[in-house]
Amino acid sequence: MDLPQYLSATLKTLRQSRGWSLSRLATETGVSKAMLGQIERNESSPTVATLWKIATGLNVPLSTFITAADASAPQAYDPDQQAMTITPIFPWDSELRFDHFSVTLAPGAFSESTPHEQGVIEHVVVISGTLEMRIDGEWQTLQAGSGLRFAGDKTHAYRNSSGQTTQFHSLIHYPKERVARKITTHSPDAP
């Protein structure tokens, strides 16, 4: 199964396992019912920012949607050759409760992330280029070799204002009690 098919099947499975309608999923994620339906039917690939909203609303790690358990190697998630590409380095680890991604931003790229669930901590380390980050309304500039740790439950954005590609790693820690409870709740009568 290719990555877009895997993503759409995973979204549908997670929604149905909770007994949610597309309307309920739209309410929980802040993504329109029409867009969610298109994603489930594999008619549209969400941006990385939209995929984050879906993962946050379902309270699952982002890599749930882009890393199949039987994958031989991680695949880059690059919907329609957009400006932000994300590749799992270490997908969801249930014992340590983290995802680790390599992220590439094209020149001029901007991506805004909605706040993740309360208690999420994100570590960003710039590998090459220059990364501008807005956290809770305040911009900071990070150069290659520098990093930043911040509360992922705050509004944050990533921007590459330079003329060169920027690459950074993002290590995301999820809170134990919330993620573990939500990930294991897959019964049809679950709210």
Side-chain angles (χ1 to χ4, degrees), residues 52 56 59 113-123 134-137 149-158 172-175 177-178:
W52 267 116
T56 299
N59 209 0
S113 181
T114 57
H116 307 309
E117 71 175 285
Q118 187 173 8
V120 169
I121 303 294
E122 187 167 348
H123 303 78
R134 186 182 70 211
I135 302 168
D136 221 13
R149 181 175 72 175
F150 60 95
D153 56 7
K154 307 282 188 213
T155 301
H156 52 285
Y158 312 90
I172 302 163
H173 281 275
Y174 298 88
E177 58 284 344
R178 298 251 347 226

Side-chain angles (χ1 to χ4, degrees), residues 1-11 39 42 44-46 48 51 62-71 73-80 85-88:
M1 183 180 302
D2 69 6
L3 187 55
Q5 288 174 322
Y6 175 77
L7 191 156
S8 64
T10 300
L11 177 59
I39 296 167
N42 196 16
S44 178
S45 293
V48 172
L51 194 55
L62 179 68
S63 63
T64 300
F65 292 105
I66 59 176
T67 307
D70 60 353
Q75 292 183 327
Y77 183 68
D78 186 12
D80 301 323
T85 303
I86 186 164
T87 305

Side-chain angles (χ1 to χ4, degrees), residues 78-98:
D78 186 12
D80 301 323
Q81 303 299 309
Q82 294 180 12
M84 183 180 211
T85 303
I86 186 164
T87 305
I89 296 174
F90 298 107
W92 169 246
D93 182 310
S94 59
E95 189 171 318
L96 298 175
R97 301 177 325 275
F98 76 86

